[in-house]
Amino acid sequence: MSISPAAARLRDLLRGRLLAAAATPMTAGGEVDLGVVRRYYASLLDDGADGLAVLAHTGRGPFLGERLRGELVELALSFGAPVVVGVGGTEGTAERQARVAAERGASGVMLFPSPDDRMAEHDEVWRATGLPMIAFDLYTNPCPPAVLDKLVHHPGVAGLKVALLSDAMACQDAIAATRAAGRLAITGEDRMFGPSLLWGAEAALVGLAAASVGVTAAVMRAFRGDDLRAFEVASARLDRLAGQTFVEPMEGYVQRMLTLAAQEGRIPAAHAHDPHRPA
């Protein structure tokens, strides 16, 4: 299917950009201080992020209540940068959450991988909101190739974020299929970041940019330039960071990035907790 004008606008808006998959700073009891979040979001944008992805996997979107979700979306939008909102993750929530994102003025939504009919869920969100979508191929629930090919041809899909972490061949295939469909290939590959750009990814939406965002931004800048040595140096630095934060148990990366954000002074240590981290 041909791409819709709304999806084409989001595709073109995000091309070449880095979106930080922002965490949601919380206390040990799970409380969220919007003042802390505001300063945290601002620091990510100040240090090199071109936009924010909120309530995504790193932001623990599926675990947060609807009122807090709406407040975080509004807060992110207040900076005037592109904002993509993570929706879904639990049965029957994607359409409702996408409506809220559309009402608040989000640039687009990213649907969490569903164990059910992914095409049907994207259709429901698209019909309900007309908000452009980013499909999501996530390591916890990889998308079958035949389904992925259908998703990247959906008229409301602007691009695909691939975050497989350890499957280089599947990552290459997903990027190729996305580009062949005329959509934006977006890397979420924290452990294959530099290679994924070389394989054809044209934008980034990564949890690695939830702290030390400048390390990721430096790779994006070097890749757009013509200094191969600068790209090599920046990529090696990013790989060292990813090698310390994206390790088993992999779901612990959210806690590690929050800890790093606190060490960098982005958030108070008391708000550097992920209640959903592995034991």
Side-chain angles (χ1 to χ4, degrees):
M1 300 180 189
S2 60
I3 190 169
S4 70
R9 285 193 294 272
L10 181 62
R11 175 197 63 191
D12 297 342
L13 174 67
L14 298 184
R15 182 173 282 117
R17 297 200 185 209
L18 166 64
L19 270 64
T24 302
M26 300 184 199
T27 66
E31 293 86 10
V32 175
D33 183 319
L34 294 180
V36 169
V37 178
R38 176 181 293 279
R39 292 188 291 275
Y40 168 62
Y41 285 173
S43 77
L44 299 179
L45 293 168
D46 289 344
D47 287 350
D50 300 305
L52 298 170
V54 298
L55 303 171
H57 189 242
T58 307
R60 297 305 197 200
F63 300 104
L64 304 183
E66 296 304 310
R67 178 177 178 179
L68 175 58
R69 287 179 55 88
E71 291 173 334
L72 293 175
V73 172
E74 286 188 357
L75 185 55
L77 287 165
S78 70
F79 295 99
V83 173
V84 170
V85 179
V87 299
T90 54
E91 186 176 356
T93 60
E95 180 183 336
R96 183 176 71 251
Q97 293 172 353
R99 286 182 184 274
V100 173
E103 291 166 0
R104 300 295 199 278
S107 305
V109 292
M110 182 171 68
L111 277 68
F112 280 88
S114 169
D116 302 316
D117 189 332
R118 301 191 197 206
M119 278 296 293
E121 191 169 52
H122 283 73
D123 279 337
E124 291 169 1
V125 168
W126 179 239
R127 286 196 302 267
T129 68
L131 199 60
M133 301 173 290
I134 293 173
F136 194 5
D137 195 8
L138 181 63
Y139 67 95
T140 58
N141 189 7
C143 189
V147 177
L148 187 146
D149 190 63
K150 291 179 180 179
L151 283 176
V152 295
H153 283 89
H154 190 290
V157 168
L160 169 79
K161 170 182 170 170
V162 57
L164 298 174
L165 291 181
S166 61
D167 193 336
M169 290 187 292
C171 177
Q172 290 171 327
D173 290 345
I175 289 172
T178 304
R179 290 178 61 105
R183 270 59 171 186
L184 185 67
I186 304 168
T187 182
E189 298 292 2
D190 306 87
R191 289 300 299 264
M192 300 188 288
F193 191 85
S196 67
L197 296 177
L198 295 170
W199 296 334
E202 298 179 279
L205 194 167
V206 284
L208 196 61
S212 291
V213 63
V215 175
T216 311
V219 180
M220 295 289 288
R221 287 195 303 271
F223 185 71
R224 291 194 298 265
D226 56 6
D227 187 341
L228 179 60
R229 178 58 179 162
F231 177 66
E232 178 188 358
V233 170
S235 293
R237 186 178 181 218
L238 181 146
D239 287 343
R240 290 194 296 274
L241 175 62
Q244 295 296 317
T245 50
F246 282 76
V247 295
E248 296 295 345
M250 196 60 68
E251 281 298 287
Y253 87 87
V254 177
Q255 179 61 67
R256 298 178 197 119
M257 297 311 296
L258 283 165
T259 300
L260 185 55
Q263 291 173 353
E264 295 173 339
R266 298 178 190 276
I267 57 176
H271 291 260
H273 294 274
D274 173 24
H276 311 287
R277 67 188 183 276

